[in-house]
Amino acid sequence: MEGIFKSYDFFAGIVCLAIPGKIVKIETDNQHALIDYGDGTKRKANISLVEVKKGDYVLVHAGFAIQVVDKKDAEETLDLFRSMLTADEDE
């Protein structure tokens, strides 16, 4: 059992991040969508884990949409990410 806890301690400091984006197109297979993250960044993601439609906002982690979120929360989060990136560039 000690080995399991050592593995847990190793992973305890790792943080995962999900990024909000807007679904702009659902592929014909209904399993993938084009996600707009703002500022011209668009990527495909797997949407098989959530029920969505074009225009919905989702959280994407490791190429999978894992949760539907409302527009206000998604836009606030994207603005926060942008401000963190801008602050980092200013240093």
Side-chain angles (χ1 to χ4, degrees):
M1 286 299 226
E2 188 176 319
I4 294 171
F5 292 111
K6 285 184 181 179
S7 295
Y8 175 77
D9 290 341
F10 171 76
F11 289 108
I14 297 175
V15 176
C16 295
L17 185 65
I19 308 294
K22 181 180 180 180
I23 296 179
V24 294
K25 179 183 176 187
I26 297 178
E27 300 293 325
T28 56
D29 66 2
N30 288 322
Q31 298 292 305
H32 297 88
L34 185 63
I35 311 292
D36 183 356
Y37 297 98
D39 297 337
T41 303
K42 295 179 183 174
R43 300 278 187 274
K44 279 189 180 181
N46 186 302
I47 57 170
S48 63
L49 301 175
V50 292
E51 290 186 27
V52 294
K53 62 187 179 306
K54 183 179 174 182
D56 283 349
Y57 285 80
V58 292
L59 289 178
V60 179
H61 173 70
F64 286 83
I66 58 172
Q67 181 178 346
V68 178
V69 294
D70 67 36
K71 179 180 179 178
K72 180 179 178 263
D73 289 342
E75 289 177 346
E76 285 176 0
T77 301
L78 286 170
D79 287 343
L80 179 62
F81 288 155
R82 283 187 202 100
S83 67
M84 288 188 305
L85 290 171
T86 303
D88 188 43
E89 290 173 358
D90 292 340
E91 292 180 3

